[in-house]
Amino acid sequence: MRGARIAAVTQTSIPSSDPPPQGGLAEADQATVDLLGLLAYGELTAFERLATDARMSPTLGDKIALAAMAAAEFSHFQAVCAELDRLGVDRERAMAPFVAPLTTFHNSTAPADWLESLVKAYVGDNIAADFYREIAARLPAPSREIVLRVLDDTGHAVFAVERVRAAIEANPTVAGRLALWARRLVGEALTQAQRVGVDRDALTGLLVGVGDLDALAAIFNRIMAAHGRRMSALGLSA
Amino acid sequence: MRGARIAAVTQTSIPSSDPPPQGGLAEADQATVDLLGLLAYGELTAFERLATDARMSPTLGDKIALAAMAAAEFSHFQAVCAELDRLGVDRERAMAPFVAPLTTFHNSTAPADWLESLVKAYVGDNIAADFYREIAARLPAPSREIVLRVLDDTGHAVFAVERVRAAIEANPTVAGRLALWARRLVGEALTQAQRVGVDRDALTGLLVGVGDLDALAAIFNRIMAAHGRRMSALGLSA
């Protein structure tokens, strides 16, 4: 059973002269494995980043709060890995295709200070989460439920909003710099998402499977509208 | 009850013209609070350091292993904090005296690469753990048991020993550099331990309470002998 699943998954990622399966079980499986792998590596890097950002915390209380969120991300990572294990898929192999794009994203958006790290975690993680949710809705159970559960906010939203708003209140000129920073984050995220989309047919297949371009545009609009609401919550212009 | 404990604890740390209590309940309580505070901040920085070092991991598997150990350190941190809560002591206040010495130690011993970070975590954390165990043995229950439990190895020992030995086997010249590095770590650790000892009478009081200088020397010799065995396990000369 375990072996059969691995074979099915491997098969769809090997280039073949046969026409690729259209929306069949094998393709759905590959999309599931891709989303779980992407999410697992995303949680692992979120863990690393929050733990590293904790060093920039202005107070001991902030440091503890950030460390607790990092630990929560790691337990999400473990939940996704457990699902990969259940599917009989090698976790490192599932994560491998997403190491380069996520590393590039993080290297090109290293926060210069505590506020930039808060905005990055809040804005970046939530755009990614919204995107993952759109894909997850099209996955089979129980992977769908596991993905939706680990996407639950770890308390970072309230934490980030409170601190960023307080910083802007204390010094309104901060808002311009952080708004520019958020725009750069979105740009880099879209660049890397496009790269993933080009490389991972099964993943994009699920989204294309929603039907026509209008449906795709609706997904994109929903994600950007939610982003705009988060920017407003921070007190920043989108 | 909660309030009374806080008052008792606070009282011993306020300078007073009365002679300080000698080995009484209040002093034991202050020593407990000090050790828990030191340990809590130690676990928090261990968490940060392991999570940061995970970024230097040569493989994805190493990164995951280090992240898992970091998460384990954070759960130890939470266990110590729960004990501080139970004693009615503010956790940040208990940690505060140890922020500067631990930060100085870590800033002055930032590892230059993956191998240095492994040696630091293995050598440094275990010397600290041995020292905490000597103090903990003199604490009242249940704080004693909680301290001893969180000092349990999180799997880092085997992990570090395997990887450092393999690196030395592949390139024997590495051993000299790492042995020097370990000596520097011990030197910096002793410098900061001395600083803590001078500032925190209750903590040193517990150790001095063991009796004479011979007994103190015996503790120090036990700790250094265990350090020597760990250096041998790594394939390094102490």
Side-chain angles (χ1 to χ4, degrees):
Chain A
M1 180 61 192
R2 207 179 145 97
R5 274 188 181 273
I6 293 175
V9 164
T10 313
Q11 215 170 6
T12 62
S13 58
I14 291 174
S16 153
S17 56
D18 296 324
Q22 294 296 329
L25 181 64
E27 184 168 329
D29 268 7
Q30 183 62 53
T32 303
V33 171
D34 276 356
L35 184 61
L36 293 174
L38 172 55
L39 194 51
Y41 198 70
E43 295 282 0
L44 188 63
T45 52
F47 161 82
E48 274 188 358
R49 204 192 48 221
L50 284 171
T52 309
D53 290 350
R55 301 177 83 145
M56 292 196 267
S57 306
T59 71
L60 184 53
D62 285 333
K63 188 196 280 277
I64 295 171
L66 232 62
M69 289 173 219
E73 301 281 6
F74 191 74
S75 72
H76 289 172
F77 166 77
Q78 290 177 308
V80 176
C81 283
E83 177 64 2
L84 283 166
D85 291 349
R86 193 188 67 81
L87 294 173
V89 178
D90 181 87
R91 40 175 89 174
E92 292 187 33
R93 196 166 167 174
M95 283 183 244
F98 309 105
V99 171
L102 279 164
T103 304
T104 306
F105 173 73
H106 287 301
N107 288 348
S108 64
T109 56
D113 61 18
W114 167 247
L115 286 175
E116 285 192 6
S117 81
L118 288 182
V119 170
K120 179 176 173 181
Y122 178 60
V123 166
D125 288 2
N126 278 304
I127 284 192
D130 284 344
F131 177 70
Y132 298 154
R133 276 190 202 96
E134 293 283 353
I135 300 179
R138 294 160 181 90
L139 292 185
S143 294
R144 180 178 58 231
E145 283 67 34
I146 286 158
V147 169
L148 294 175
R149 205 177 65 226
V150 305
L151 290 175
D152 271 357
D153 182 55
T154 51
H156 197 275
V158 174
F159 182 84
V161 167
E162 279 178 5
R163 273 148 188 84
V164 171
R165 289 194 81 98
I168 293 171
E169 204 160 302
N171 178 9
T173 63
V174 163
R177 173 170 71 88
L178 292 180
L180 275 178
W181 170 243
R183 244 165 288 176
R184 205 179 116 206
L185 290 171
V186 173
E188 294 285 345
L190 289 178
T191 304
Q192 296 309 320
Q194 199 169 18
R195 183 172 160 192
V196 168
V198 168
D199 285 351
R200 309 304 296 173
D201 287 349
L203 216 47
T204 6
L206 271 191
L207 280 185
V208 175
V210 300
D212 49 22
L213 278 179
D214 283 354
L216 261 186
I219 291 177
F220 186 78
N221 287 340
R222 270 201 298 278
I223 292 179
M224 293 319 289
H227 168 64
R229 284 192 297 275
R230 282 188 294 268
M231 291 291 281
S232 299
L234 288 172
L236 301 176
S237 56
Chain B
M1 180 62 192
R2 208 179 143 97
R5 277 188 178 275
I6 294 175
V9 164
T10 312
Q11 214 169 6
T12 62
S13 58
I14 291 174
S16 153
S17 56
D18 296 322
Q22 293 296 329
L25 181 66
E27 183 168 328
D29 268 6
Q30 184 62 51
T32 302
V33 171
D34 275 356
L35 184 62
L36 292 173
L38 171 55
L39 194 51
Y41 198 70
E43 296 281 359
L44 189 62
T45 52
F47 162 82
E48 275 188 359
R49 205 193 47 220
L50 284 171
T52 310
D53 290 350
R55 301 176 84 146
M56 293 196 267
S57 305
T59 71
L60 184 53
D62 285 333
K63 188 195 280 279
I64 295 171
L66 232 62
M69 291 174 218
E73 300 282 5
F74 190 74
S75 73
H76 289 173
F77 166 77
Q78 289 176 308
V80 177
C81 284
E83 177 64 3
L84 283 166
D85 291 349
R86 193 190 66 82
L87 293 172
V89 178
D90 182 85
R91 41 175 88 177
E92 291 187 33
R93 195 164 168 177
M95 283 183 245
F98 309 105
V99 171
L102 279 165
T103 304
T104 306
F105 173 72
H106 287 301
N107 288 348
S108 64
T109 57
D113 61 19
W114 167 246
L115 287 174
E116 286 192 5
S117 82
L118 288 183
V119 169
K120 179 175 173 182
Y122 178 59
V123 166
D125 288 2
N126 277 304
I127 284 193
D130 284 343
F131 176 70
Y132 297 154
R133 276 191 202 97
E134 293 283 352
I135 301 179
R138 294 161 179 87
L139 292 185
S143 293
R144 180 178 56 231
E145 283 65 35
I146 286 159
V147 169
L148 293 176
R149 205 178 63 226
V150 303
L151 291 176
D152 272 358
D153 182 57
T154 51
H156 196 274
V158 174
F159 183 84
V161 168
E162 279 179 4
R163 273 149 187 83
V164 171
R165 290 194 79 99
I168 293 172
E169 205 161 301
N171 177 8
T173 62
V174 163
R177 173 169 71 88
L178 292 180
L180 276 177
W181 169 243
R183 246 166 286 176
R184 205 180 117 206
L185 290 171
V186 174
E188 293 286 346
L190 289 178
T191 304
Q192 295 309 320
Q194 200 169 16
R195 182 172 163 192
V196 168
V198 168
D199 286 350
R200 309 305 296 174
D201 288 348
L203 215 47
T204 7
L206 269 192
L207 281 184
V208 174
V210 299
D212 48 23
L213 278 178
D214 283 353
L216 262 185
I219 292 176
F220 186 77
N221 287 340
R222 269 202 298 279
I223 292 178
M224 292 319 287
H227 168 63
R229 284 193 296 275
R230 282 188 294 269
M231 291 292 280
S232 299
L234 288 172
L236 301 176
S237 57

